[in-house]
């Protein structure tokens, strides 16, 4: 096979065979296919797309490019993945809920880049907590606590790591088959069998339009069908940040409040819905029954107990979870005030994410160090009534010079109108192969 023939075939709108796709993935992973040919092919895929069989073949080849996480059989197991959003701390709440309902969760999570934070960055804000765990450690933590959240290793789907880095610098990230294959290859390599996908749509998401989010959800569910996974995708609203807290320590504190049953309404609702879908995929009952089980686990405190077990088992200091006032705080803070009377019409999630990143809560390049305490706490949601001069957000940072740009970006994130906006439901749509 010659790479130029594959590029020309896709450029002309042809369909690549599974063997051709594997030739490309293996050759790119082992370095025999250079970046310029891989860039040309990904750009051809960007414009020409891929059919369901091609996307599934790409996913399988990427999943096979490295090791697979094989855990001992431990009964019912479910996994979740979010396409990434601002203030998205759902894993910290959903995994303990599901574990408290008798379904194991062994989740591999990533670091964040850009305006959306990664779950391992959030967990790393807990003093001592380790996410660089061996397969044996993951298995034993899951067996003892029912859940474990570990960082993704270099060995799982290395083709995706290389391809994602290339797509990031060649304007080929926003391609539905490439995103779907990237996400699903990592989930398959991590051994997922019952998978719930939280596909975000709105200003803070990859997919700004809900029709694109639905197409991505469908592409991933189709891959699941091809590969024998049970998959449900919820298309959920990411027009405004999830909850009120953005930034690693601040989000852990909000997750703990939610596990105490006193979290923000939008975050609580989404976590219960995601947990219920995971339980349903594992055959724990109807949607209503699973939602009730998830509510009981959350409001009884059993899910919080699971989270504390997990934190200790991963080497973290669980006293900061039982008393969150012990978390390290930022040295400086600033408030943003409302500029007019009225109602909050919109809070641009992407601008909030960028402002948090400028404060040190996220990375602009993958080498950047994160400041765990930095971030933003919002005082308002879309629909909140405000008066000019009311505080609408507080920003936290370790360096005073971080505030100027962050305050300017965040100030522009709020739109105010004379009438309240029409509420957008948290869960917009659902796609499932079960
Ligand atoms: N997240 C991923 O893991 N891969 C993509 O391609 C996009 C988002």
């Amino acid at each position: 096979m010659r790479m130029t023939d594959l590029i020309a075939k896709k450029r002309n709108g042809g369909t690549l065979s599974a063997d051709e796709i594997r030739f490309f993935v293996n050759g790119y992973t082992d370095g025999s296919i250079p970046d310029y040919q891989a860039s040309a092919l990904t750009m051809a895929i960007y414009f020409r797309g891929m059919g369901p069989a091609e996307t599934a073949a790409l996913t399988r080849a990427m999943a096979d490019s490295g090791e697979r996480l094989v855990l001992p059989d431990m009964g019912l197991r479910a996994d979740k993945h979010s396409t990434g959003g601002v203030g998205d701390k759902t894993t910290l709440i959903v995994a303990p809920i599901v574990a408290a309902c008798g379904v194991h969760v062994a989740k591999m999570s990533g670091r964040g880049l850009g305006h959306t934070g990664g779950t391992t960055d959030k967990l790393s804000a807990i003093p001592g907590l380790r996410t660089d765990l061996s397969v044996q450690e993951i298995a034993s933590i899951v067996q003892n606590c029912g859940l474990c959240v570990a960082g993704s290793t270099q060995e799982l789907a290395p083709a995706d790591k290389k391809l994602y880095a290339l797509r990031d610098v060649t304007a080929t990230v926003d391609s539905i088959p490439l995103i779907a294959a990237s996400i699903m290859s990592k989930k398959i390599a991590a051994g997922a069998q019952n998978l719930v996908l939280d596909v975000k749509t709105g200003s803070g998401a990859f997919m700004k339009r809900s029709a694109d989010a639905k197409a991505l959800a469908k592409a991933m569910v189709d891959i699941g069908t091809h590969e024998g996974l049970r998959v449900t995708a919820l298309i959920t609203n990411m027009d405004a940040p999830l909850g009120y807290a953005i930034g690693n320590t601040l989000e852990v504190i909000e997750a703990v409040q939610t596990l105490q049953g006193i979290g923000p309404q939008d975050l609580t609702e989404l976590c219960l819905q995601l947990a219920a879908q995971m339980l349903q995929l594992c055959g724990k009952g109807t949607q209503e029954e699973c939602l009730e089980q998830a509510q009981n686990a959350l409001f009884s405190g059993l899910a919080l107990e699971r989270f504390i077990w997990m934190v200790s088992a991963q080497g973290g200091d669980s006293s900061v979870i039982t008393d969150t006032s012990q978390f390290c705080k930022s040295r400086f803070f600033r408030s943003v005030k409302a500029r007019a009377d009225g109602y909050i019409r919109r809070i641009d999630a992407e601008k909030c994410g960028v402002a948090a990143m400028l404060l040190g809560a996220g990375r602009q390049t993958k080498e950047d160090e994160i400041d765990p305490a930095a971030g933003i706490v919002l005082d308002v949601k879309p629909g909140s009534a405000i008066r000019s001069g009311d505080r609408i957000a507080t920003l936290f940072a370790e360096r005073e010079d971080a505030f100027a740009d962050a305050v300017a970006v965040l100030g522009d994130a709020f739109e105010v109108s004379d009438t309240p906006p029409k509420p957008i439901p948290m869960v917009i749509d659902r796609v499932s192969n079960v």
Side-chain angles (χ1 to χ4, degrees), residues 81-84 160 164 167 172-184 186 206 216:
H81 179 84
S82 157
T83 58
D160 176 62
Y164 191 86
R167 287 165 55 213
T172 49
V173 169
D174 294 349
S175 149
I176 286 175
L178 293 178
I179 299 175
S182 162
I183 292 173
M184 292 299 285
K186 286 176 284 207
F206 263 112
L216 175 60

Side-chain angles (χ1 to χ4, degrees), residues 234-276:
L234 295 185
I235 289 119
T236 70
N237 176 20
M238 185 34 73
D239 254 328
L242 196 53
Y244 293 98
I246 308 159
N248 300 289
T249 298
L250 299 169
E251 292 192 43
V252 172
I253 295 173
E254 191 168 73
V256 172
Q257 288 163 348
T258 306
L259 286 165
Q260 290 167 337
I262 51 169
Q265 193 260 327
D266 60 340
L267 177 62
T268 305
E269 183 194 333
L270 178 59
C271 290
L272 288 170
Q273 293 289 347
L274 291 169

Side-chain angles (χ1 to χ4, degrees), residues 40 49 78 86 121 123 144 152 154 183 192 215 260 301 348 368 386 395 420:
V86 179
D121 297 320
L123 281 171
N144 291 326
S152 192
Q154 284 302 321
I183 292 173
Q260 290 167 337
D348 187 305
D368 283 354
I386 45 148
L395 296 81

